[in-house]
Amino acid sequence: MPELDRIDRKILDVLQRQGRMSMTELAEHIGLSASPCAERVKRMERDGVITGYHAHVSPEALGRTLLVFVEIKLSAKSGDVFDKVRKELLHMPEVLECHLVSGSFDYLVKARLSGMSEYRHLLGDILKKLPVAAESHSYVVMEEIKETLMLAVDR
Amino acid sequence: MPELDRIDRKILDVLQRQGRMSMTELAEHIGLSASPCAERVKRMERDGVITGYHAHVSPEALGRTLLVFVEIKLSAKSGDVFDKVRKELLHMPEVLECHLVSGSFDYLVKARLSGMSEYRHLLGDILKKLPVAAESHSYVVMEEIKETLMLAVDR
DNA sequence: TCTGAAAGGGTTGATGG
DNA sequence: CCATCAACCCTTTCAGA
């Protein structure tokens, strides 16, 4: 991955905040004309620095009012099991995040659900589809203080 | 918040995946001409259904190779303390998520860091700035299986 | 609410500094 | 690596259904 200069980083900063800003306006913000600005953006898209552009939607507007984190501990830990878990969780749209963690549990899953019925269904799915799920522990979110994917660009 | 019909939901589905798609192309995808399509998008922006558009940036490209979750348990639980925690964590750019959870701990914090030195710094900040932080427990992510904010629109 | 058309503005690529 | 410019495409608005 190539180096990012100050202009690249400024572009990333702006596009992380306003992903639909026009190249013309973006160019003004960073003090460049439109063509080289657009070229830098394209280069970063090609290089995988910018991985995509996404509208963010209010979970409440879609009725997903329940946010839960689920810790899952597997009893067996073969490579096969990890692969299967990956595949299963990737295709559950209510699962927004899944990470393999070190420490006292194996997976940390974040899911947005419409209510307790969907929650019960999720847990059932996980424990049934996973070949050797042993323990699971859930945390219900009472208040969301912050949720973003925006990274500081530093400089 | 108003009802979302099938067309609205289709628009949300597409814009969550491709947030910079032109209104012309979006209109083709959903089988409408450009004007009413743009109008629907504007309406959903006004109503807070669409909360923004954001470029997503590769954490590796910015050197943020360490992803950690930190559980924080407060010893005192006055309203004052919660307010202070909120304010502090909101202004730490390395903190991507923070949630108040029920269960055996109080806050769940997700942070992307450049390494152990920044990790030490974060923990120091948290435990120093928080008036009454008692326990903290960290989980280092070994593998990221999924990370998205995209919600299923159902229908 | 939609379609279609027209005017204004944005994007893109060639050219030259 | 940047600015300029022209051709093309997109956005926005408005009339009409």
Side-chain angles (χ1 to χ4, degrees):
Chain A
M1 229 171 244
E3 278 308 300
L4 301 172
D5 65 17
R6 188 178 289 98
I7 297 178
D8 292 331
R9 288 169 190 271
K10 180 66 183 164
I11 289 174
L12 292 178
D13 189 60
V14 173
L15 285 182
Q16 281 187 105
R17 297 177 207 272
Q18 294 189 230
R20 263 185 97 84
M21 181 180 285
S22 79
M23 286 301 144
T24 305
E25 194 184 346
L26 176 61
E28 286 167 5
H29 269 72
I30 66 173
L32 219 62
S33 61
S35 336
C37 180
E39 211 166 324
R40 280 169 180 268
V41 171
K42 258 193 199 143
R43 191 198 73 231
M44 292 194 282
E45 291 169 0
R46 268 200 320 270
D47 293 346
V49 175
I50 297 174
T51 59
Y53 302 89
H54 306 274
H56 289 185
V57 174
S58 159
E60 287 73 28
L62 292 175
R64 303 209 116 77
T65 53
L66 180 58
L67 175 60
V68 295
F69 285 85
V70 183
E71 303 172 353
I72 301 173
K73 184 169 220 156
L74 299 182
S75 52
K77 306 196 177 180
S78 68
D80 250 22
V81 171
F82 284 121
D83 283 352
K84 188 140 198 296
V85 170
R86 222 187 317 277
K87 287 222 177 81
E88 290 296 345
L89 292 171
L90 273 178
H91 298 308
M92 297 182 180
E94 64 272 34
V95 171
L96 301 188
E97 298 192 36
C98 176
H99 307 282
L100 184 63
V101 297
S102 72
S104 61
F105 53 91
D106 294 309
Y107 288 103
L108 181 60
V109 171
K110 172 185 168 189
R112 284 201 181 268
L113 309 164
S114 61
M116 274 301 162
S117 137
E118 211 176 310
Y119 169 69
R120 220 170 350 98
H121 200 269
L122 172 72
L123 270 197
D125 269 13
I126 288 179
L127 299 179
K128 182 167 57 191
K129 286 184 180 171
L130 300 192
V132 284
E135 270 179 84
S136 91
H137 194 180
S138 300
Y139 296 100
V140 175
V141 171
M142 314 289 291
E143 184 188 357
E144 302 177 31
I145 295 166
K146 187 180 194 177
E147 183 188 44
T148 181
L149 291 177
M150 189 183 149
L151 305 173
V153 295
D154 292 337
R155 275 177 272 185
Chain B
M1 228 170 247
E3 278 307 300
L4 301 171
D5 64 18
R6 189 177 291 99
I7 297 177
D8 292 330
R9 288 169 190 271
K10 180 65 183 164
I11 289 174
L12 292 178
D13 189 60
V14 173
L15 286 182
Q16 281 188 105
R17 296 178 208 272
Q18 294 189 229
R20 262 184 98 85
M21 182 180 285
S22 78
M23 286 301 144
T24 306
E25 194 184 346
L26 177 60
E28 286 167 8
H29 274 256
I30 65 173
L32 219 62
S33 60
S35 350
C37 181
E39 209 167 326
R40 281 168 179 269
V41 170
K42 261 195 196 138
R43 191 198 73 231
M44 291 193 283
E45 291 169 0
R46 267 201 320 271
D47 293 345
V49 174
I50 296 173
T51 59
Y53 302 89
H54 306 275
H56 288 184
V57 174
S58 159
E60 288 72 27
L62 293 175
R64 303 210 115 78
T65 53
L66 181 58
L67 175 59
V68 295
F69 284 86
V70 183
E71 303 172 353
I72 300 172
K73 183 169 221 156
L74 298 182
S75 51
K77 306 197 177 180
S78 67
D80 250 20
V81 171
F82 285 120
D83 284 352
K84 187 139 198 296
V85 171
R86 221 186 317 275
K87 287 222 176 82
E88 290 296 345
L89 292 172
L90 273 178
H91 299 306
M92 297 181 180
E94 64 271 34
V95 171
L96 300 189
E97 298 192 36
C98 176
H99 307 282
L100 184 63
V101 297
S102 72
S104 61
F105 53 91
D106 294 309
Y107 287 103
L108 181 60
V109 170
K110 173 185 169 189
R112 285 202 180 267
L113 309 164
S114 61
M116 275 302 163
S117 137
E118 211 177 309
Y119 169 70
R120 219 167 356 96
H121 201 269
L122 172 72
L123 271 196
D125 268 14
I126 288 178
L127 298 179
K128 182 166 58 190
K129 286 184 180 172
L130 300 192
V132 283
E135 270 178 84
S136 91
H137 195 180
S138 299
Y139 296 100
V140 175
V141 171
M142 313 289 293
E143 185 188 357
E144 303 177 30
I145 294 167
K146 187 179 193 177
E147 182 188 44
T148 181
L149 292 178
M150 190 184 147
L151 305 174
V153 296
D154 292 338
R155 275 178 270 185

